[in-house]
């Protein structure tokens, strides 16, 4: 019986190895995004950890910059990247709109968005935004944050004028005086705060949804071992970031070309200690979806909890026993 069991274990291991080898053989390149709002991903890129992991399989790694969650989701929808980093709430909106993505890993729990105005602005509360112009990147966590802030203050999007710009252009529009406020995103928000004395006049950390790594349903189904290996390498980068915060800061400074004190501000409100995707993310993301539904941003007939469950794939979760 022992010999039979040992033989079966050997066969299973061989089959598993063969499947993993076959999945790797099907690929010649892994396409993954990098973004300044994803510090762990920047360290991963700088250290070449994915390149080292997949060199033995003759798989190259192509990095594509995402300027915001909306861009990462567009790239995933178009099939131009295999992995994209976004806010969880933005991923939910994309899934509601028919983008067949799966969130498989948590790269951060950030307070990366707030409502921002200039140092000399009289705006002090969300109620003060009525009739004002606000720069925002639609389909991102700052947009979700803004909609929820307006709703909590008894306002609707129609009570303000949204100026749709990518994050960097939104910051510039605010500082130039082209708009009254901006739904900010770090590290650009930290830059405005530190360098231009911009005011973060409305903060609510719990309304920032998690930073999640997404892949497509097709890629996850066809290459589950590759997904597991990418997450495992992300974990190496996260462990290095925790052990050597100076290296993480240096990677961000290099990528953003922003001063140390700006990046320090970003990192002090970025938690990278909780990588396991699951119920915590389901709760936060579904609450964001329900708030957006109540505000009329998402259709009333969408089952938010169902779509959230379809989005969050914890079969690849860090620490999960298979």
């Amino acid at each position: 019986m022992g010999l039979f069991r040992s033989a079966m274990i050997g066969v299973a291991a061989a089959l598993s190895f063969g499947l993993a080898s076959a999945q790797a053989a099907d690929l010649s390149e892994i396409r993954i995004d990098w973004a300044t709002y994803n510090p762990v991903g920047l360290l991963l890129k700088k250290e070449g950890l994915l390149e080292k992991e997949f060199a033995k399989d003759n798989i190259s790694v192509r990095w594509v910059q995402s300027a915001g969650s909306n861009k990462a989701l567009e790239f995933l929808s178009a099939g131009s990247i295999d992995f994209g980093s976004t806010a969880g709430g933005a991923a939910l909106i994309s899934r509601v709109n028919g983008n067949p993505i799966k969130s498989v890993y948590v790269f951060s729990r950030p307070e990366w968005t707030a409502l921002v105005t200039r140092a000399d602005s009289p705006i002090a509360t969300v109620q003060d935004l009525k009739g004002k112009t606000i720069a925002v990147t639609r389909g991102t966590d700052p947009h979700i944050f803004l909609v929820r802030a307006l709703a909590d203050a008894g306002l609707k999007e129609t009570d303000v004028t949204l100026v749709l710009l990518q994050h960097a252009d939104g910051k510039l529009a605010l500082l130039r005086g082209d708009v009254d406020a901006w739904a900010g995103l770090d590290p650009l928000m930290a830059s405005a705060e530190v360098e231009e004395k911009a005011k973060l006049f409305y903060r609510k950390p719990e309304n920032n949804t998690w930073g999640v790594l997404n892949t497509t349903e097709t890629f996850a189904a066809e290459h589950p071992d590759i997904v597991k290996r990418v997450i495992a390498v992300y974990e190496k980068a996260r462990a290095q970031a925790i052990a050597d915060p100076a290296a993480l800061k240096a990677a961000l400074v290099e990528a953003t070309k922003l001063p140390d004190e700006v990046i320090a501000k970003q990192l002090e409100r970025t938690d990278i200690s909780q990588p396991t995707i699951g119920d915590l993310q389901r709760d936060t993301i579904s609450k964001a979806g329900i708030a957006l539904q109540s505000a009329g941003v998402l259709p009333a007939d969408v089952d938010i909890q169902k779509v959230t469950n379809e989005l969050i794939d914890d079969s690849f979760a860090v620490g999960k026993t298979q």
Side-chain angles (χ1 to χ4, degrees):
M1 188 67 177
L3 287 174
F4 177 76
R5 183 172 182 273
S6 296
M8 289 301 96
I9 291 172
V11 169
L15 288 172
S16 177
F17 177 79
L19 178 61
S21 298
Q23 289 176 11
D26 289 344
L27 287 177
S28 60
E29 181 180 68
I30 292 171
R31 302 160 304 169
I32 187 166
D33 80 332
W34 66 273
T36 57
Y37 51 82
N38 178 358
V40 175
L42 284 177
L43 187 62
L44 181 75
K45 179 177 182 289
K46 182 179 180 181
E47 297 296 325
L49 298 179
L50 280 176
E51 288 82 352
K52 293 171 186 174
E53 168 67 20
F54 289 101
K56 57 181 174 291
D57 302 299
N58 294 317
I59 297 175
S60 61
V61 177
R62 177 153 62 92
W63 293 93
V64 178
Q65 183 178 10
S66 292
S69 292
N70 61 327
K71 292 302 179 183
L73 292 162
E74 286 173 16
F75 296 153
L76 283 165
S77 180
S80 55
I81 59 175
D82 305 308
F83 297 91
S85 40
T86 74
L92 176 67
I93 292 174
S94 188
R95 178 91 197 189
V96 167
N97 290 332
N99 191 356
I101 58 171
K102 293 284 191 181
S103 299
V104 295
Y105 178 74
V106 174
F107 60 79
S108 72
R109 185 176 192 176
E111 187 197 356
W112 53 16
T113 188
L115 300 185
V116 189
T117 192
R118 292 179 300 280
D120 60 352
S121 171
I123 292 172
T125 68
V126 178
Q127 287 84 355
D128 294 337
L129 292 174
K130 188 171 183 178
K132 299 294 194 293
T133 54
I134 309 167
V136 65
T137 307
R138 188 176 290 281
T140 65
D141 228 28
H143 177 222
I144 297 168
F145 186 87
L146 171 63
V147 170
R148 296 179 74 177
L150 292 172
D152 288 347
L155 301 175
K156 300 178 181 178
E157 281 195 14
T158 52
D159 291 319
V160 299
T161 299
L162 299 186
V163 180
L164 302 181
L165 298 167
Q166 280 299 134
H167 300 297
D169 295 327
K171 173 194 168 187
L172 291 175
L174 175 70
L175 297 179
R176 283 197 306 256
D178 297 338
V179 295
D180 299 302
W182 169 49
L185 182 74
D186 272 339
L188 297 166
M189 183 170 73
S191 171
E193 183 182 9
V194 172
E195 299 180 307
E196 306 293 338
K197 308 305 178 188
K199 296 187 298 186
L200 277 54
F201 68 91
Y202 180 77
R203 298 174 70 172
K204 195 170 185 179
E206 63 270 29
N207 279 8
N208 290 247
T209 60
W210 299 74
V212 295
L213 185 70
N214 309 284
T215 188
T216 65
E217 285 186 351
T218 300
F219 193 91
E222 294 179 353
H223 305 287
D225 184 67
I226 299 296
V227 176
K228 291 175 188 174
R229 289 170 67 185
V230 168
I231 290 172
V233 178
Y234 246 98
E235 274 294 274
K236 289 181 183 178
R238 189 181 69 85
Q240 182 176 335
I242 291 172
D244 187 0
L248 179 66
K249 185 178 178 183
L252 271 166
V253 169
E254 181 179 326
T256 63
K257 306 297 188 287
L258 291 171
D260 282 16
E261 57 269 30
V262 170
I263 298 306
K265 178 67 71 174
Q266 175 187 3
L267 290 176
E268 75 182 30
R269 50 191 179 217
T270 302
D271 177 7
I272 60 171
S273 70
Q274 303 179 63
T276 304
I277 199 159
D279 289 341
L280 282 173
Q281 291 72 37
R282 287 189 185 94
D283 181 63
T284 302
I285 293 169
S286 63
K287 284 178 179 175
I290 290 167
L292 292 175
Q293 197 172 51
S294 299
V297 175
L298 292 178
D301 60 351
V302 172
D303 186 335
I304 295 297
Q305 193 60 61
K306 179 175 180 290
V307 178
T308 303
N309 290 337
E310 292 168 349
L311 172 70
I312 302 295
D313 186 347
D314 61 6
S315 65
F316 300 103
V318 173
K320 183 180 177 68
T321 56
Q322 302 298 322

